[in-house]
Amino acid sequence: MVEEATEEQIRAHMDVNFFGAVWVAQAVLPHLRAQGGGRLLQVTSMGSGGGMATVGYYGAGKAALDSVSEALAMEVEGFGIKVTIVQMGGYNTGLFTAGTTNTQPLAPYQPLRTEMEAMWGDAVAPEPDTAAPVIMKLAALPNPPRRLIVGSQSFDHVLEMDRAQADLYRSWEDLSRIAPG
């Protein structure tokens, strides 16, 4: 839970899920530019478009990487470098059962924790290696997409989240449009 994490845990988490990917991109870009182009796949998450209880920092790191990768794609396309944001779906990595940051649980969150464990704990996710053919095909495309959701169920889930978000925005459109700009 967001409240349970320490500053040290949050920083360590962002070091892995955001800064690590940024530093790798910075390290390879001079080589890709020198060779006249190339591919950079930035692995984020299908959940990077919005937060979810118990994995808030994971989603935050992936959302930050999504945003930076969009900017990066625009910055380097003139050098023949193609950036694709690979939004991975739910695979059997232990993310929802083991978590990404071990925190000291606070009692008030136990009902929500139990609800989330029931929702995700028994789910049988595909093995990560089942995504490899998709990644290989993506890497070989001459004109790859800027963003790709990997996983059939994940694709459907993201579309549903996007529809729900669009409906939410429309429900408050009158308030949004009061201010110019």
Side-chain angles (χ1 to χ4, degrees), residues 44-50 52 66 86-90 120 147-166:
T44 69
S45 170
M46 63 165 275
S48 61
M52 179 174 282
D66 264 13
V86 183
Q87 295 180 302
M88 298 302 294
W120 296 107
R147 180 180 298 273
L148 182 73
I149 301 163
V150 178
S152 181
Q153 292 176 351
S154 301
F155 184 88
D156 293 339
H157 188 69
V158 169
L159 286 182
E160 184 56 37
M161 288 187 307
D162 285 351
R163 277 192 287 274
Q165 189 69 23

Side-chain angles (χ1 to χ4, degrees), residues 5-44:
T6 66
E7 180 179 346
E8 181 182 358
Q9 289 171 320
I10 297 164
R11 289 181 186 280
H13 196 81
M14 295 302 282
D15 276 348
V16 170
N17 283 304
F18 176 67
F19 291 112
V22 169
W23 293 324
V24 168
Q26 287 179 334
V28 301
L29 285 171
H31 303 285
L32 296 177
R33 219 177 28 256
Q35 70 184 21
R39 297 296 317 280
L40 182 60
L41 305 179
Q42 294 285 64
V43 178
T44 69

Side-chain angles (χ1 to χ4, degrees), residues 38-155:
R39 297 296 317 280
L40 182 60
L41 305 179
Q42 294 285 64
V43 178
T44 69
S45 170
M46 63 165 275
S48 61
M52 179 174 282
T54 73
V55 290
Y57 295 111
Y58 175 82
K62 296 300 188 176
L65 184 57
D66 264 13
S67 183
V68 164
S69 298
E70 284 282 354
L72 176 62
M74 291 179 214
E75 293 167 0
V76 299
E77 66 187 343
F79 303 116
I81 301 169
K82 298 178 185 206
V83 177
T84 299
I85 299 164
V86 183
Q87 295 180 302
M88 298 302 294
Y91 288 88
N92 186 19
T93 62
L95 175 65
F96 290 108
T97 55
T100 56
T101 303
N102 292 323
T103 61
Q104 186 64 36
L106 297 174
Y109 292 108
Q110 190 52 47
L112 178 57
R113 192 180 315 283
T114 300
E115 179 184 331
M116 296 303 290
E117 288 170 356
M119 185 169 69
W120 296 107
D122 293 333
V124 178
E127 292 301 313
D129 63 353
T130 61
V134 176
I135 302 302
M136 296 305 291
K137 186 170 185 171
L138 171 65
L141 291 174
N143 292 306
R146 172 86 47 93
R147 180 180 298 273
L148 182 73
I149 301 163
V150 178
S152 181
Q153 292 176 351
S154 301
F155 184 88

